[in-house]
Amino acid sequence: MKICGVEIKGSEAIVCLLSFKDGLFNLPECRVRKVEFNKRNSTGDIRYFQSTFSKLMVDYGIDAVVIKDRPLKGKFAGGALGFKMEAAIQLIDGLEVETMSPQVFKESIKRNPITVSFAETGLKVFQENAFAVAYAKHMNLQYPPPPVESAE
C-alpha cells in the first residue's frame, strides 16, 4: 500500500510517499516535495491546488493520504489557509484521506518506533513530519491499536 504523508505548514503541503510491501518500507522518488498554494486565496487558486495535488496522487498510484492534524486554537494553531488546503485535499474524489491526531500519532510511534535514522532516508529535513505520519499510518494498519475498553 502506498501512503502519502502530509504536513501543512503555512501555504505549503509537504509530502512524503511511503509504501509497505512484504514487510519492507520503500520511499519512492517523487517529483515534488511540497505542493504550494497561491496566497491570493481565490476560488481558482483553491481548484488549482486541488487539481495539482490530485494529479500527483494519481501519477504515483497513492492508495491513501494521511494529514497530520493541527490544533484549532492555541499557540500552535493552524491558519485559515492551511485548513482550506486540508479541505481541498479531503474533497478529492476517489482519494481516501484522513487526519491523524497528535494522540493517535504518539501512541502509534510509541508502540512501533521508527527504527531507521531519518538522515538515512534521503529525505529533506522539512519532510520529517510527513514521513513520520505516513509511517504511523502504516503501523496502525499493520498492527492495529488495541481496542479501548469502555467503563460501564
Side-chain angles (χ1 to χ4, degrees):
M1 174 176 230
K2 284 186 186 176
I3 293 178
C4 176
V6 178
E7 178 186 28
I8 297 176
K9 272 188 143 177
S11 63
E12 300 172 333
I14 300 167
V15 298
C16 176
L17 309 182
L18 185 65
S19 65
F20 185 75
K21 186 175 182 184
D22 300 327
L24 297 173
F25 283 102
N26 182 31
L27 289 160
E29 285 294 320
C30 185
R31 67 177 175 260
V32 297
R33 293 184 174 100
K34 50 188 160 186
V35 180
E36 294 189 35
F37 182 80
N38 188 333
K39 290 186 179 183
R40 287 190 313 232
N41 205 12
S42 70
T43 303
D45 293 334
I46 294 170
R47 286 190 177 130
Y48 180 78
F49 170 80
Q50 186 182 45
S51 69
T52 301
F53 195 92
S54 177
K55 178 75 171 132
L56 184 69
M57 298 301 106
V58 169
D59 289 352
Y60 287 97
I62 301 300
D63 300 306
V65 174
V66 61
I67 302 171
K68 185 177 181 190
D69 215 357
R70 293 152 300 128
L72 297 174
K73 57 186 174 180
K75 184 177 180 179
F76 300 105
L81 191 59
F83 288 110
K84 283 185 178 186
M85 293 166 57
E86 184 178 309
I89 294 169
Q90 289 175 324
L91 293 173
I92 296 173
D93 284 334
L95 187 61
E96 179 186 326
V97 181
E98 75 174 64
T99 59
M100 183 176 286
S101 73
Q103 296 82 8
V104 171
F105 173 76
K106 287 177 186 175
E107 175 61 30
S108 178
I109 296 298
K110 183 179 177 183
R111 281 185 292 114
N112 305 291
I114 298 173
T115 56
V116 64
S117 154
F118 184 75
E120 294 175 24
T121 64
L123 297 171
K124 299 292 184 189
V125 174
F126 64 84
Q127 290 179 285
E128 187 169 4
N129 286 328
F131 166 76
V133 78
Y135 173 84
K137 174 64 178 169
H138 272 296
M139 290 295 94
N140 283 345
L141 291 172
Q142 293 300 312
Y143 309 104
V148 178
E149 295 180 21
S150 61
E152 291 184 30

